[in-house]
Amino acid sequence: MPPEDSNDLISGVLPTQPDSPVSPARRQFKPWHKPRKQYVRRFQWLKETEALISQTHFPDDSRIFRYLSLPGEDLLDVRSIRDLCQQYSLTLRYTGLNDVSQGSADDVQLNLSENDVKSLVGVHANSQILRERFEALAETKSLAYGQLQYSGPFNVINVDLCNHVAFERPSQERPTYLDAIGQLVAFQLRYSIQPWLLFLTTRLQPDCVNVENLAALMTAIRANVEQDPQFRMGMTAILKTTEDGIAGLLERSITLPPTVFKTVFTVGFGKWLLGYLRTAQPQPEVEMLDSFFYSVAGSPDMLSLGYRCRPVIQAPHDPLNLIQTAPNPIPIKEASMARIILERSNSMSNVDSALESDPGLRERMIVETEHLLRSAHYPVDDERQGYRAWLNKPKKKKERVRSSRS
């Protein structure tokens, strides 16, 4: 197991937090403050995290919940997870990466937010935000990678990206998002003996995917199409074609209608993740969780995916029968896990439709968002420039995508 703490490693490297934080300037609401983000927090991140907590053994002398994320300057996700941990008497130890320039306005706000959060009950003193790119996790000599060795393994990894997860082809010259995810997964498999969650928020536009990456994901799908009749039948329904037509459509997946491309890409990514994880020994079980999509600048162009990984460790068995030992459970086969990926990919929920069709639900998400933003010192209750006034402003023709926290 990696060492417990890392104060010596990061001392003198991270920006110094102010001794007495100044009052922040008037905060401006951002596109990622809309109720749809709280819907994802509530019905994916918090729901699945609570389910994980209820099934995880935390010893009385080590009730620490370890969380890795890419938080914005307000640490809204960290605040939400901390509130949940408090319900279960867990101490939250968070590790974050945010690529802000030292001394910039965003860096100042991040420092203020960290002071806020670290003053809360139930936050571990060694929680830390690194001013690093997420991709730096793939560089073994980086500060981010070094911190990974000391603060993990993690119960939850939340990769909330602002770009497409597969827009760059992995290479030796420059690490990519996929390289960083691969490094994280390998680290988790090496050290975690408990089930853990991976959340991924990514943009979804065919012209943002590297063509070689897309071809690899389609290859992962074709492998199950060729080997599993049930999987093959599911793909014919998604693509609205015959069995003979699947291969051709997968080769031209970039031309598929947006709603179909969304599903096919999600199946392909899930199959890549499953295949990568299953090369480990012992082989873990991987389950795709309920996932979501919504629209920022197109239809649909954002995905919020969730996966649960469970290490499978066989209990000892006495071959001489001197003692009674229970037989090990039958392991779940790859084909079964791939079918779940296909089914969950095809049944993803449309967040925009859910909120539009249920005013009561939308109001609940607004109230919860107000609570979070108020804790981050936004002018939520200002009559003319508060949160609801901002929500009710006429929509612009095209909304620029600046962050995954949409």
Side-chain angles (χ1 to χ4, degrees), residues 2 61 73 122 167 169 181 203 316 323 329 348 393:
D61 61 348
E73 288 72 46
F167 83 101
R169 183 68 176 169
I181 290 173
R203 290 196 59 188
I323 58 174
M348 288 189 291
K393 285 182 179 179

Side-chain angles (χ1 to χ4, degrees), residues 37-63:
K37 196 66 179 184
Q38 182 60 21
Y39 185 99
V40 171
R41 287 191 198 97
R42 170 62 57 197
F43 295 108
Q44 187 183 61
W45 299 353
L46 293 175
K47 172 190 171 186
E48 300 297 350
T49 298
E50 185 168 20
L52 179 75
I53 289 174
S54 67
Q55 299 166 12
T56 300
H57 173 63
F58 293 95
D60 286 343
D61 61 348
S62 182
R63 295 188 61 78

Side-chain angles (χ1 to χ4, degrees), residues 365-406:
M365 295 304 99
I366 289 174
V367 171
E368 291 184 5
T369 303
E370 287 177 322
H371 173 75
L372 269 180
L373 293 175
R374 197 177 288 115
S375 71
H377 309 292
Y378 279 84
V380 171
D381 303 308
D382 188 290
E383 186 175 339
R384 298 182 61 185
Q385 301 183 58
Y387 181 63
R388 289 179 185 261
W390 173 77
L391 280 180
N392 293 328
K393 285 182 179 179
K395 295 181 181 179
K396 296 181 180 180
K397 290 184 178 180
K398 189 172 183 180
E399 190 177 75
R400 183 185 177 191
V401 180
R402 283 189 61 244
S403 170
S404 61
R405 299 162 189 88
S406 303

Side-chain angles (χ1 to χ4, degrees), residues 227-241:
Q227 298 168 13
D228 183 4
Q230 288 180 257
F231 191 95
R232 183 164 58 248
M233 185 180 302
M235 285 305 302
T236 61
I238 290 170
L239 294 171
K240 296 180 172 58
T241 186

Side-chain angles (χ1 to χ4, degrees), residues 163-168 203-211 254:
N163 293 316
H164 200 299
V165 67
F167 83 101
E168 283 187 306
R203 290 196 59 188
L204 178 73
Q205 290 177 308
D207 58 357
C208 290
V209 190
N210 176 278
V211 292
I254 197 170

Side-chain angles (χ1 to χ4, degrees), residues 78-303:
V78 174
R79 296 172 195 265
S80 296
I81 294 293
R82 176 263 172 190
D83 290 347
L84 177 62
C85 287
Q86 280 291 284
Q87 298 176 29
Y88 289 86
S89 301
L90 294 173
T91 297
L92 171 65
R93 178 172 178 173
Y94 66 81
T95 301
L97 294 98
N98 191 319
D99 186 21
V100 295
S101 300
Q102 186 170 351
S104 66
D106 287 341
D107 182 47
V108 171
Q109 183 54 49
L110 186 55
N111 272 317
L112 293 171
S113 295
E114 274 220 89
N115 280 344
D116 266 356
V117 171
K118 283 192 171 183
S119 70
L120 299 173
V121 174
V123 176
H124 199 284
N126 288 333
S127 296
Q128 198 66 257
I129 302 292
L130 305 179
R131 273 63 173 177
E132 288 259 18
R133 299 171 297 114
F134 173 61
E135 304 96 296
L137 288 172
E139 299 173 322
T140 56
K141 294 183 179 180
S142 70
L143 174 65
Y145 182 83
Q147 178 67 6
L148 180 69
Q149 310 304 305
Y150 289 88
S151 56
F154 303 97
N155 301 99
V156 172
I157 296 172
N158 191 350
V159 182
D160 195 358
L161 297 175
C162 60
N163 293 316
H164 200 299
V165 67
F167 83 101
E168 283 187 306
R169 183 68 176 169
S171 68
Q172 294 183 347
E173 290 79 28
R174 179 182 176 183
T176 67
Y177 294 146
L178 291 174
D179 288 319
I181 290 173
Q183 190 74 266
L184 272 173
V185 167
F187 175 80
Q188 289 289 115
L189 293 178
R190 192 176 303 123
Y191 293 114
S192 182
I193 61 173
Q194 300 274 21
W196 51 276
L197 303 179
L198 170 66
F199 298 124
L200 171 66
T201 303
T202 175
R203 290 196 59 188
L204 178 73
Q205 290 177 308
D207 58 357
C208 290
V209 190
N210 176 278
V211 292
E212 293 180 72
N213 289 342
L214 187 58
L217 299 185
M218 297 307 103
T219 298
I221 294 176
R222 281 199 300 272
N224 286 77
V225 167
E226 294 168 1
Q227 298 168 13
D228 183 4
Q230 288 180 257
F231 191 95
R232 183 164 58 248
M233 185 180 302
M235 285 305 302
T236 61
I238 290 170
L239 294 171
K240 296 180 172 58
T241 186
T242 64
E243 292 184 1
D244 293 336
I246 295 176
L249 288 176
L250 292 180
E251 288 179 3
R252 305 186 303 275
S253 59
I254 197 170
T255 65
L256 293 170
T259 54
V260 179
F261 181 82
K262 160 188 63 67
T263 304
V264 172
F265 174 84
T266 304
V267 174
F269 182 85
K271 276 293 288 97
W272 167 76
L273 183 65
L274 173 61
Y276 178 57
L277 283 158
R278 294 284 285 180
T279 61
Q281 291 295 335
Q283 294 181 331
E285 294 176 354
V286 184
E287 179 188 5
M288 183 175 179
L289 306 171
D290 290 338
S291 297
F292 305 93
F293 67 92
Y294 51 94
S295 300
V296 175
S299 179
D301 59 7
M302 293 296 293
L303 293 175

